[in-house]
Amino acid sequence: MTKRSTAHATFTIERHFPSPREKVFRAYSDPKSKAKWFVGPEDWERSDHKLDFREGGRESVSGGPPGQPVHYFNGLYQDIVPNERIVMSYEMHMDKTRISVSLGTTEFRTDGKGTKLVYTEQIVFLDGHDHLAAREEGTRALFDNLAAALEREAQAA
Amino acid sequence: MTTAAPLVRTVEHGTIRLERIYKAAPARVFAAWAEPAARARWDVPGRWIIAEQTFDFREGGHEVRRFGPRDDPRFVAETRYVDIVPQQRIVYAYGMTSRGERISVSLTTVEFSPSAGGTRLVLTEQIAFLDGRDNAIDREEGLSSMLDKIGLGL
């Protein structure tokens, strides 16, 4: 019998974006917009990003460094309040192994002319695949991608 | 004439951890989740009733349960199983509504391990309480009463 274990954790990231929250929310709700920033580093091989943005809808994407294990993200939208809140559950796999299950809450608040985004992730890491620091770092990198995508959009307007 | 105040959206995050020792083998305690008849005996807090319940216990499975006080079963829980390791672990996410308004979303981990001829159960629930409609104290009381019912059933 394989020895099973779990490790529970929570982290919160706050970011300010100069764009109004309708624009920031749209970067989550619109499949084309989300595919621009919800991706791993440049050199990663990646699959098609699939997004069905509605309560009960799913999102999935996979990718990874060439020749390395594939990271697979499989999420489910639990609660959506337009321009205000998104709650989703998701699981992460490394190749065939499920390494974690998370509940992610994203809150969008007006902050001057821009938006304050508060992201809280509650996680259970499975069977010793405890990568809290890496998960938090990876999530911060996604918000850097989002900031760059919003800036490109503002400049194009 | 009154005008409803605009709803202020809030989220409170919490984690509840409960532990029980049961005088039954892990296979029998695990069956409290895995077997419909066993689950129907405890899967509702205190003296509330289950008005409707579907059963789909497998990874990716989706269940709906309507429950509450006998004269007002206003709560609906929608569960999706993510990770199931027989006799060892269950991880599931569920959202709960009251009269159609979502009050919380949870990620629940249940772990079973052998302990002195019986079973040690650890339930960890990571929760986002939405718009002030529920709280950790009430949720813990509800979950605790359910785990006690499992013990009585065994």
Short mmCIF file of all heavy atoms in Angstrom, two decimals, chain A residues 26 30 127 147:
data_model
loop_
_atom_site.label_atom_id
_atom_site.label_comp_id
_atom_site.label_asym_id
_atom_site.label_seq_id
_atom_site.Cartn_x
_atom_site.Cartn_y
_atom_site.Cartn_z
N ARG A 26 -12.37 41.04 -17.84
CA ARG A 26 -12.47 40.51 -19.20
C ARG A 26 -11.25 39.66 -19.58
O ARG A 26 -11.36 38.72 -20.36
CB ARG A 26 -12.61 41.68 -20.18
CG ARG A 26 -13.09 41.25 -21.54
CD ARG A 26 -13.37 42.42 -22.47
NE ARG A 26 -13.18 42.01 -23.86
CZ ARG A 26 -14.01 41.19 -24.49
NH1 ARG A 26 -15.06 40.71 -23.90
NH2 ARG A 26 -13.76 40.83 -25.76
N ASP A 30 -12.86 36.23 -21.14
CA ASP A 30 -12.78 36.08 -22.58
C ASP A 30 -11.67 35.07 -22.94
O ASP A 30 -10.51 35.30 -22.61
CB ASP A 30 -12.49 37.44 -23.24
CG ASP A 30 -12.32 37.31 -24.73
OD1 ASP A 30 -13.26 36.85 -25.39
OD2 ASP A 30 -11.23 37.64 -25.24
N ASP A 127 0.68 13.63 -1.29
CA ASP A 127 1.73 12.61 -1.34
C ASP A 127 3.14 13.18 -1.47
O ASP A 127 3.96 12.70 -2.25
CB ASP A 127 1.43 11.61 -2.48
CG ASP A 127 0.02 11.04 -2.34
OD1 ASP A 127 -0.41 10.83 -1.19
OD2 ASP A 127 -0.64 10.82 -3.37
N ALA A 147 -0.33 41.63 -16.20
CA ALA A 147 0.00 43.06 -16.23
C ALA A 147 0.51 43.47 -17.60
O ALA A 147 0.11 44.50 -18.15
CB ALA A 147 1.03 43.38 -15.14
#
